[in-house]
Amino acid sequence: MKVPVIKTLVETQNLEALVAAEEAILEEQTPEITVEGADEGEQLTHVMAAIWILNHMQDHNTDFKTALREYTKKVRVSIS
């Protein structure tokens, strides 16, 4: 997971484009937007994180840094 890639996706893509990219990757197709990542798994991680962060920003009226902090907390809990 590369935070700069997630940040770029959040800043340059809307939720609809990210969801379409997520679906394309899951169906082993090439997404219409550029998603950096070493492989499809990393690309999917970046897209899913961007979707979660955008939703969190909208639902809680927060900025990117706050939403990113909440996302990384969630990831840490899930892997511990």
Side-chain angles (χ1 to χ4, degrees):
M1 180 174 87
K2 296 176 181 156
V3 172
V5 174
I6 296 167
K7 183 177 181 186
T8 298
L9 288 172
V10 168
E11 291 175 345
T12 62
Q13 303 298 326
N14 61 34
L15 195 54
E16 184 176 290
L18 291 168
V19 170
E22 178 186 34
E23 289 174 0
I25 294 168
L26 287 171
E27 294 175 10
E28 299 180 3
Q29 298 176 357
T30 303
E32 290 188 21
I33 62 172
T34 300
V35 181
E36 292 184 38
D39 55 31
E40 292 84 6
E42 188 175 46
Q43 290 175 335
L44 186 59
T45 297
H46 293 151
V47 170
M48 291 175 73
I51 290 170
W52 192 94
I53 289 169
L54 271 178
N55 281 327
H56 190 82
M57 289 170 64
Q58 291 173 357
D59 293 346
H60 300 279
N61 196 26
T62 60
D63 62 359
F64 174 78
K65 287 183 181 181
T66 303
L68 176 63
R69 196 173 308 119
E70 291 301 317
Y71 181 76
T72 56
K73 279 185 200 175
K74 181 179 177 253
V75 171
R76 273 190 232 122
V77 168
S78 71
I79 59 176
S80 62

